[in-house]
Amino acid sequence: MKKIACIGTGNMGGALAKAACQSPACGPAQVILANRTHEKAERLAKELGCEAARSNLEAFREAKFVLLGVKPQMMEGLLRELAPALKESIEKGERKILVTMAAGLKSSFYREILNCGDIPFIRLMPNTPASIGCGMTLVSVSSSCREEEASELEALLSAAGSFDRIPEEQMDAAGTLTGCTPAFAYMFIEALADGGVMAGIPRKKAQEYAARAVMGAAALVLESGKHPGLLKDEVCSPGGSTIVGVHELEEKGFRSAAMNAVLGACEKNRKMGEGK
């Protein structure tokens, strides 16, 4: 039996499959992929050096950890497809751990549809930087899942970046912050680069300068442990250009817009969990 099956090889499923293949505790020989479009799974498997299954059921039966990497609206159909195979594996005494990445869907949703008792279950909320080993993946573990199993999964996916355990009730809010922030950051970088172009900097260089400045600023927050407000103050010289730019952002409601973006996305996650 392999260690990980990835059912769904989209952006996040593919990123975690890549991490599993690159992690020292796993490797390509321990990974099997499945996708609604088999050719897509085959292409990724060839790229990563792992195996592509002919069906979701084949992938499910071949692995200990089963990563469910489909969109929330497609999850119910996948679960109903897998339910008979899960019951069969339980009857055989096999211990499989289901792992989901779908935003908004709580563990109770999966148990209700699968109707297989208190099965071992882990919710992950990764983000796209996991594809280059710089991800922030949130982990929520069910009471039926053993500590060593959760730790094993984190080791198998260690090449994705950092992991943090949180209670499931925090997943919608925290998952919004980690999962949506890359998109917000890309918009910020693009806007900064546009400003650089307006000021006369070539597009390619403006984009690189903005991206590296944002990357460095984020690294300094993490490495220094200083409050972001203090670090901002350290850049703002009296009467200087930076404080003028900060004033422009404040005047246009920059911080309020960022806060509302997080709150709005969090509310959408909550509604998806309620089927709205």
Side-chain angles (χ1 to χ4, degrees):
M1 182 175 288
K2 296 182 183 296
K3 292 183 177 179
I4 288 186
C6 295
I7 300 179
T9 56
N11 290 335
M12 285 317 318
L16 292 187
K18 180 180 179 181
C21 288
Q22 293 178 343
S23 295
C26 194
Q30 296 296 327
V31 178
I32 187 167
L33 311 179
N35 194 73
R36 180 174 55 175
T37 304
H38 178 64
E39 291 73 19
K40 185 175 181 180
E42 276 191 321
R43 286 195 300 270
L44 183 60
K46 184 177 181 180
E47 176 187 333
L48 300 179
C50 60
E51 182 181 346
R54 295 297 309 181
S55 68
N56 293 336
L57 287 173
E58 180 187 345
F60 176 86
R61 292 189 175 106
E62 286 291 319
K64 176 181 178 181
F65 292 94
V66 182
L67 275 63
L68 308 175
V70 302
K71 301 291 185 184
Q73 60 269 28
M74 299 172 61
M75 188 62 75
E76 182 174 349
L78 175 61
L79 295 177
R80 295 196 184 283
E81 178 186 358
L82 298 179
L86 177 59
K87 291 177 181 177
E88 179 184 311
S89 70
I90 293 172
E91 290 170 358
K92 290 180 178 178
E94 296 175 350
R95 187 171 174 84
K96 291 185 179 290
I97 297 92
L98 297 186
V99 184
T100 178
M101 297 171 275
L105 301 182
K106 295 178 173 57
S107 56
S108 56
F109 167 85
Y110 297 85
R111 292 196 177 92
E112 181 180 347
I113 293 174
L114 291 168
N115 192 27
C116 292
D118 196 18
I119 56 175
F121 188 85
I122 298 175
R123 280 186 69 184
L124 296 182
M125 185 52 64
N127 59 11
T128 52
S131 64
I132 58 167
C134 296
M136 179 70 248
T137 300
L138 304 176
V139 184
S140 176
V141 182
S142 72
S143 58
S144 55
C145 186
R146 300 165 186 160
E147 167 60 30
E148 59 267 25
E149 292 169 335
S151 295
E152 181 183 2
L153 178 65
E154 291 174 359
L156 295 174
L157 300 176
S158 60
S162 301
F163 293 79
D164 191 41
R165 304 269 185 96
I166 63 171
E168 185 173 20
E169 58 266 25
Q170 293 180 5
M171 188 62 84
D172 284 348
T176 296
L177 194 57
T178 59
C180 299
T181 290
F184 305 156
Y186 302 145
M187 293 175 68
F188 183 47
I189 291 168
E190 181 185 26
L192 292 173
D194 285 346
V197 171
M198 289 178 67
I201 306 299
R203 166 69 61 183
K204 187 174 181 180
K205 287 186 176 293
Q207 183 171 303
E208 180 181 357
Y209 297 162
R212 290 194 180 280
V214 171
M215 179 174 67
L220 189 55
V221 170
L222 295 174
E223 291 295 325
S224 70
K226 292 181 179 179
H227 190 282
L230 176 58
L231 291 171
K232 177 264 296 177
D233 289 349
E234 291 175 355
V235 186
C236 293
S237 303
S241 56
T242 304
I243 193 63
V244 172
V246 167
H247 177 261
E248 289 288 340
L249 290 173
E250 292 285 16
E251 191 172 52
K252 300 301 187 295
F254 175 76
R255 284 196 285 188
S256 177
M259 292 167 69
N260 286 334
V262 173
L263 292 174
C266 182
E267 179 65 11
K268 176 61 177 178
N269 273 347
R270 186 188 64 78
K271 288 182 177 179
M272 284 194 295
E274 296 173 352
K276 298 179 181 178

